[in-house]
Structure formats: C-alpha cells, structure tokens
C-alpha cells in the first residue's frame, strides 16, 4: 500500500532532536563532567575526557533523553538501570584502566559503561544475561563505532574464560559475594571493582589480586540491581 510506506517514512525510529537541543545536551554533558564528576573527586583527566566524549543521552530510553545528564540512575529495558554518572566515573577511575588493558565487564545493560571503557583501552569484553538488551546495545555501539567492545550473551558470574586473564574486571550488578570464578580470570596485579552485599544495598569493593592473596578496599556504599547467575543471586 503506497499510503503506508509514506506513513512509515514520516515516522522516524528515534525522536528527532534539532540543533538547538543537541547543543543544549552538549552543555548539560559538560556541566555533568564539571559539577558531578570533577566537583566530587574524579581527578583522572583521561576519565573526565571519556565522559565528555560519550553521548550518554543516546544510551537512555527515548522519553528520558533530557534527563541523561542528571545526577541519578535511570531505568533501561527489562527492569534494569543505567547507573548514576558519578558511580560510573568512580568505578572507572578506581579500575585504573591503562591504554593497553583488556577489561571484562559483567552486566552490559545500556552499554554506557562499556563505551566509557572503550575510550580508555584497547579491548572490552562485556557479558549480559538478557539477549534483548545485548542486541539493542550491540546495534547502538556499532552505530557509534565502538568496535572494540565485544558483547557476550550469558551468565557473567562465570566470567568469560576464553579471553582471560584480564587486567581489570568491573561488575555492574550487585553480587552476594566475590565470585571465585572472576578472581581466577584476573591476571596477577589485576583489579576488580564489584558491589557486594545484600539485595537493598551494597559496599563497592576494589579488589587487587596479588599472587594468591586478595587485597580489598571499600569505596563506600552503593545500590545496584542484582547479579543473577550460578555464582551470584539465584533469582
Ligand atoms: N553497565 C550497565 C549497567 C546495567 S545494570 C550500563 O552501563 O548501563 C546491570 C546489568 O547486569 C543488567 O543489564 C542485567 O541484566 C545484567 N546482569 C545481571 N546479572 C548478570 C549476569 N549474571 N551476567 C550478565 N549480566 C547480568
């Protein structure tokens, strides 16, 4: 039906944002970097620059685009969330990413954390348990040219042994304990950032693997959605 194809062309997939709105979003992004990140102790210039480069509003549900640079987490698909910008920045800074690093992320979600990591290092492997979320995020990261992020669908509590050992592992969902499986996939001297605790609140931990010892440090309280899998929460 010719009428229908005309209609389809008139309905864009994404809401059209005009030049003025794009400029406003860029301004919000810079303000986020200065006030929410630099203003609260994120000092690594490479990390701050990564947050300047990644257009966070494209990782957010359409109706929430203009909240993308606000100081709180936002809902994504399947009842999951994209973390508050400061939390993503703190975890990234504490992970201590170097340009040659290979990083494993557990919990791809919107792909925002993965995109930030991809600005800072060679290769990012990211595991997501929902195929629906993984597919949507893969499409977005392709459109934005993040070809150094590999998304794997599966239970991230088992890690991704194929590409181990990793220089760093970042877990972006709440774990009841530190999974041994992930520790085993860290190289000696490797770092892991992981929220550990109950269902309602957790402690953000920085774990450094030193031979067969683990050095642990608390980075403060936090609240993440649950890490569900064989070495995490049952459901
Ligand atoms: N890093 C994400 C945060 C997403 S929220 C971002 O930047 O948007 C946490 C994600 O972890 C959710 O998408 C959830 O589905 C996923 N998740 C929970 N348990 C998991 C597991 N065992 N393996 C892989 N992904 C898991």
């Amino acid at each position: 039906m010719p009428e229908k194809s005309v209609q389809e062309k008139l309905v864009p997939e994404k809401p059209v944002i005009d030049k003025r709105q794009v400029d406003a979003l860029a301004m919000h992004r810079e303000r986020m970097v200065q006030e929410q990140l630099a203003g609260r102790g994120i000092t690594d210039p490479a990390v701050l620059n990564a947050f300047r480069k990644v257009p966070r509003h494209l990782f957010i549900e359409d109706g929430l685009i203009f909240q993308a640079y606000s100081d709180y987490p936002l809902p994504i698909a399947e009842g999951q969330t994209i973390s508050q910008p400061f939390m993503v920045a703190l975890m990234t800074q504490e992970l201590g990413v170097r340009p040659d690093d290979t990083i494993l992320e557990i919990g791809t979600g919107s792909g925002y954390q993965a995109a930030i990591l991809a600005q800072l290092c060679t290769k990012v492997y990211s595991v997501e348990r929902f195929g629906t979320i993984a597919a949507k995020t893969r499409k977005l990261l392709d459109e934005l040219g993040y070809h150094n992020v590999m998304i794997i669908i599966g239970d991230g509590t088992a890690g991704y042994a194929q590409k181990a050992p990793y220089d760093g592992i970042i877990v972006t969902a709440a774990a009841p304990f530190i999974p041994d499986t992930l520790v085993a996939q860290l190289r000696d001297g490797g770092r892991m950032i992981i929220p550990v605790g109950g269902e309602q609140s957790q402690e953000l931990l920085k774990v450094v693997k030193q031979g067969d010892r683990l050095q642990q440090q608390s980075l403060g309280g936090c609240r993440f959605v649950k890490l569900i899998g064989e070495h995490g929460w049952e459901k």
Side-chain angles (χ1 to χ4, degrees):
M1 278 196 304
E3 259 174 51
K4 184 157 180 273
S5 62
V6 171
Q7 180 69 19
E8 275 167 2
K9 276 196 192 128
L10 290 175
V11 182
E13 251 186 55
K14 283 251 159 202
V16 178
I17 313 182
D18 66 27
K19 167 90 174 60
R20 229 187 71 245
Q21 290 172 313
V22 171
D23 291 348
L25 287 165
M27 224 178 67
H28 292 169
R29 184 160 61 248
E30 182 56 31
R31 197 182 305 146
M32 169 194 82
V33 169
Q34 289 180 16
E35 293 175 6
Q36 296 175 41
L37 309 187
R40 282 196 216 143
I42 306 299
T43 52
D44 184 333
V47 172
L48 293 172
N49 273 330
F51 280 81
R52 288 196 167 92
K53 289 207 184 105
V54 181
R56 182 172 161 97
H57 60 276
L58 299 181
F59 293 80
I60 304 286
E61 304 266 294
D62 291 350
L64 301 172
I65 282 182
F66 290 95
Q67 293 180 57
Y69 299 102
S70 304
D71 190 17
Y72 42 77
L74 288 168
I76 57 170
E78 310 281 5
Q80 305 301 311
T81 52
I82 172 171
S83 304
Q84 172 199 28
F86 175 74
M87 186 53 70
V88 181
L90 177 68
M91 293 173 86
T92 306
Q93 177 165 278
E94 293 294 338
L95 191 59
V97 187
R98 295 169 202 140
D100 289 338
D101 279 355
T102 298
I103 303 290
L104 175 67
E105 177 191 29
I106 311 303
T108 314
S110 70
Y112 182 65
Q113 172 76 73
I116 293 285
L117 293 169
Q119 293 280 355
L120 296 166
C121 70
T122 322
K123 202 121 210 159
V124 179
Y125 292 91
S126 184
V127 189
E128 170 58 53
R129 63 189 280 267
F130 283 109
T132 45
I133 294 184
K136 187 176 172 206
T137 298
R138 175 73 273 158
K139 186 165 173 273
L140 176 66
L141 292 179
D142 281 344
E143 282 165 10
L144 296 177
Y146 288 108
H147 304 300
N148 57 337
V149 179
M150 311 296 133
I151 299 179
I152 300 107
I153 300 171
D155 176 6
T157 66
Y160 185 54
Q162 284 90 324
K163 298 291 172 181
Y166 300 96
D167 301 295
I169 299 181
I170 181 168
V171 182
T172 63
F177 49 83
I178 300 172
D180 289 342
T181 40
L182 297 184
V183 173
Q185 291 177 27
L186 265 185
R187 74 158 167 78
D188 195 15
R191 298 87 54 196
M192 171 154 62
I193 306 293
I194 179 170
V196 176
E199 295 185 24
Q200 296 304 322
S201 68
Q202 308 88 32
E203 219 175 322
L204 188 64
L205 298 182
K206 176 173 179 171
V207 178
V208 182
K209 182 171 173 174
Q210 286 168 332
D212 47 17
R213 281 194 48 239
L214 279 190
Q215 192 198 75
Q216 272 189 48
Q217 181 195 344
S218 170
L219 304 172
C222 57
R223 185 180 180 154
F224 281 81
V225 295
K226 283 201 282 185
L227 179 75
I228 297 173
E230 199 189 333
H231 309 276
W233 290 99
E234 244 173 61
K235 61 183 169 65

